[in-house]
């Protein structure tokens, strides 16, 4: 109920109380001065009668002080103790007795009643005003306390709202940090997995490449070995064929020489067939000394030279066997080596492709 009053309304009520109190006090003081002064003049020597108004003014001044200070102390929410109450009642009773004194001495009851109205009204107004001010003070205090409690509650609620918002922001920031850390961790793990997969893939590709290279080298070696074996077999077959051809040619030449008539100065056929003077096998050789000069044709010499593997016979021996020069035999051997190298290279290119 009290909370429905505004401070302006309460202050207006307090001003009304103060105005009424001072109006009653002023009227009572004025009435007391007018009523008490004749009484004081009758009991005062003639030469001092001019001092008669002083006594009611002093008593009324005490009344004013009591009313004013009670209002201030009450407004401050305090209490002056016993002496202010004693002063208040003493001034009230003095005002009452002085106002009814003249009528009481004349035994005028009506006058006593009439002159007692203003002092009694002043006393009751002072006490009631004090009670009113205290009640208003307590009400104001309750209102202020209630409003302070409401402000404190609002501030508490606002503080709780701010704390909740702060907690929500902190929770959101914490969640955002955790989310960012989780995303970063997942990204790092993905990158790690990707790098590991790339390394594994690179290692796998390298292993496969090395395996392919190893297979290619093995296949190349096998092909080279097969080509060498086939070439060796062809060379062996050709050499055997050429040796047989050369042997047949030598036999044919020997038979032809045996059938030819002996010329003057030439040894007998029997002497030509002796081991010491065999054709192309003289001690000095075809190009190194005297003896029977027998020279193969170029095709026969080429076939004879190619029938041997490199290193089987020396250039000098081949020259003695074929009847050709050492330079010519060396050139044919070089051609044979070049041709063999070219065949091997062509076979490798074919195998790789």
């Amino acid at each position: 109920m009290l909370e429905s009053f505004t401070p302006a309304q309460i202050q207006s009520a307090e001003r009304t109380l103060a105005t009424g109190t001072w109006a009653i006090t002023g009227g009572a003081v004025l009435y007391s001065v007018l009523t008490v002064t004749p009484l004081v003049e009758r009991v005062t020597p003639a030469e001092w009668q001019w001092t008669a108004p002083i006594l009611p003014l002093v008593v009324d001044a005490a009344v004013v002080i009591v009313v004013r200070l009670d209002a201030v102390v009450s407004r401050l929410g305090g209490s002056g103790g016993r002496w202010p109450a004693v002063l208040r009642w003493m001034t009230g009773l003095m005002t009452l007795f002085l106002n009814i004194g003249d009528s009481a001495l004349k035994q005028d009851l009506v006058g006593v009643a009439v002159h007692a109205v203003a002092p009694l009204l002043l006393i009751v107004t002072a006490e009631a005003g004090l009670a009113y001010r205290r009640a208003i003070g307590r009400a104001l205090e309750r209102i202020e306390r209630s409003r302070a409690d409401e402000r404190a509650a609002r501030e508490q609620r606002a503080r709780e709202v701010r704390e909740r918002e702060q907690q929500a922001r902190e929770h959101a920031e914490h969640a955002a940090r955790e989310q960012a850390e989780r995303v970063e961790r997942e990204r790092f793990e993905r990158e790690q997995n990707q790098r590991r997969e790339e390394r594994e893939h690179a290692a796998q590709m390298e292993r496969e490449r090395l395996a392919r290279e190893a297979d290619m080298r093995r296949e190349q070696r096998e092909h080279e070995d097969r080509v060498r074996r086939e070439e060796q077999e062809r060379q062996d077959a050709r050499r055997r064929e050429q040796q047989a051809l050369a042997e047949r040619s030598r036999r044919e030449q020997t038979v032809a020489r045996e059938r030819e008539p002996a010329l003057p100065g030439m040894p007998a056929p029997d002497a030509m067939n002796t081991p010491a003077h065999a054709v192309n096998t003289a001690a000095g050789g075809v190009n190194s000394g005297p003896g029977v000069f027998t020279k193969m044709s170029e095709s026969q010499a080429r076939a004879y030279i190619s029938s041997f593997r490199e290193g089987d016979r020396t250039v000098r021996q081949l020259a003695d066997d074929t009847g050709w020069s050492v330079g010519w035999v060396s050139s044919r051997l070089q051609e044979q080596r070049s041709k063999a190298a070219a065949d091997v290279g062509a076979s490798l290119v074919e195998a790789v492709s």
Side-chain angles (χ1 to χ4, degrees):
M1 182 65 183
L2 291 175
E3 287 77 1
S4 61
F5 287 97
T6 63
Q9 291 175 334
I10 296 175
Q11 290 177 359
S12 177
E14 192 172 6
R15 282 196 301 272
T16 300
L17 176 63
T19 302
T21 301
W22 285 113
I24 293 172
T25 302
V29 168
L30 179 60
Y31 186 78
S32 177
V33 170
L34 296 176
T35 302
V36 174
T37 299
L39 176 62
V40 176
E41 287 178 351
R42 283 198 301 270
V43 296
T44 302
E47 63 272 15
W48 293 101
Q49 288 182 354
W50 61 272
T51 62
I54 295 177
L55 179 62
L57 290 175
V58 171
V59 174
D60 293 339
V63 172
V64 172
I65 292 173
V66 169
V67 172
R68 179 58 182 167
L69 291 181
D70 282 344
V72 173
V73 173
S74 175
R75 190 68 181 86
L76 294 176
S79 176
R82 291 181 305 171
W83 290 109
V86 170
L87 177 62
R88 186 170 57 253
W89 280 97
M90 185 177 67
T91 55
L93 293 176
M94 287 180 179
T95 301
L96 176 61
F97 292 152
L98 287 174
N99 276 274
I100 66 174
D102 188 33
S103 297
L105 291 175
K106 295 179 180 180
Q107 296 181 354
D108 184 4
L109 297 180
V110 176
V112 170
V114 171
H115 288 92
V117 172
L120 290 177
L121 184 60
L122 179 61
I123 293 172
V124 173
T125 301
E127 292 294 330
L130 180 60
Y132 284 142
R133 289 189 181 90
R134 287 178 179 175
I136 291 173
R138 287 191 298 270
L140 286 174
E141 183 179 359
R142 286 196 301 272
I143 292 173
E144 292 295 331
R145 188 165 54 249
S146 176
R147 291 179 178 176
D149 293 340
E150 289 180 358
R151 271 195 311 273
R154 286 196 301 270
E155 292 176 357
Q156 180 66 24
R157 287 193 297 271
R159 186 165 52 251
E160 291 176 355
V161 170
R162 289 194 298 271
E163 291 177 356
R164 285 195 298 270
E165 292 177 353
Q166 180 68 21
Q167 291 176 357
R169 285 195 299 270
E170 292 178 355
H171 181 71
E173 292 175 357
H174 182 68
R177 285 195 300 271
E178 289 183 350
Q179 178 68 18
E181 291 175 357
R182 183 167 59 254
V183 170
E184 182 66 19
R185 186 167 55 252
E186 291 176 356
R187 185 187 64 80
F188 180 74
E189 291 177 355
R190 284 197 303 271
E191 291 179 354
Q192 289 292 104
N193 294 331
Q194 184 177 0
R195 285 195 291 269
R196 183 174 62 253
E197 291 175 357
E198 290 177 354
R199 289 195 299 270
E200 292 177 354
H201 179 69
Q204 180 66 24
M205 296 296 293
E206 183 67 17
R207 287 194 296 271
E208 292 178 358
R209 185 185 65 80
L210 294 176
R212 285 195 302 271
E213 291 180 355
D215 294 338
M216 292 177 62
R217 287 194 296 270
R218 185 176 63 255
E219 293 176 358
Q220 183 176 353
R221 286 195 300 270
E222 292 176 355
H223 179 72
E224 291 176 355
D225 293 340
R226 185 170 61 256
V227 169
R228 281 196 297 270
R229 284 195 304 270
E230 292 175 356
E231 183 66 23
Q232 186 64 38
E233 290 175 356
R234 285 196 299 270
Q235 289 180 0
D236 291 342
R238 189 166 56 248
R239 186 172 56 254
R240 287 193 298 270
E241 182 180 356
Q242 291 173 355
Q243 286 177 355
L245 180 62
E247 184 65 25
R248 187 170 61 250
S249 177
R250 282 197 299 272
R251 285 198 301 270
E252 290 175 356
Q253 290 178 1
T254 301
V255 171
R257 282 195 300 271
E258 289 176 354
R259 291 177 180 176
E260 291 178 356
L263 297 177
M266 293 290 291
D270 295 337
M272 293 177 63
N273 295 328
T274 57
H277 302 284
V279 178
N280 300 326
T281 59
V286 176
N287 298 322
S288 61
V292 179
F293 180 76
T294 302
K295 183 177 181 180
M296 296 182 183
S297 63
E298 184 177 355
S299 60
Q300 291 177 348
R302 286 177 179 274
Y304 183 76
I305 291 172
S306 62
S307 64
F308 293 98
R309 288 180 297 181
E310 187 175 359
D312 289 349
R313 295 181 69 81
T314 64
V315 176
R316 173 63 63 183
Q317 289 174 344
L318 293 174
D320 292 340
D321 292 342
T322 59
W324 290 81
S325 65
V326 174
W328 187 85
V329 172
S330 298
S331 298
R332 302 292 80 73
L333 289 175
Q334 182 64 33
E335 291 178 357
Q336 185 175 347
R337 286 193 292 270
S338 300
K339 182 180 180 182
D343 292 339
V344 172
S347 300
L348 292 176
V349 171
E350 182 179 359
V352 171
S353 62

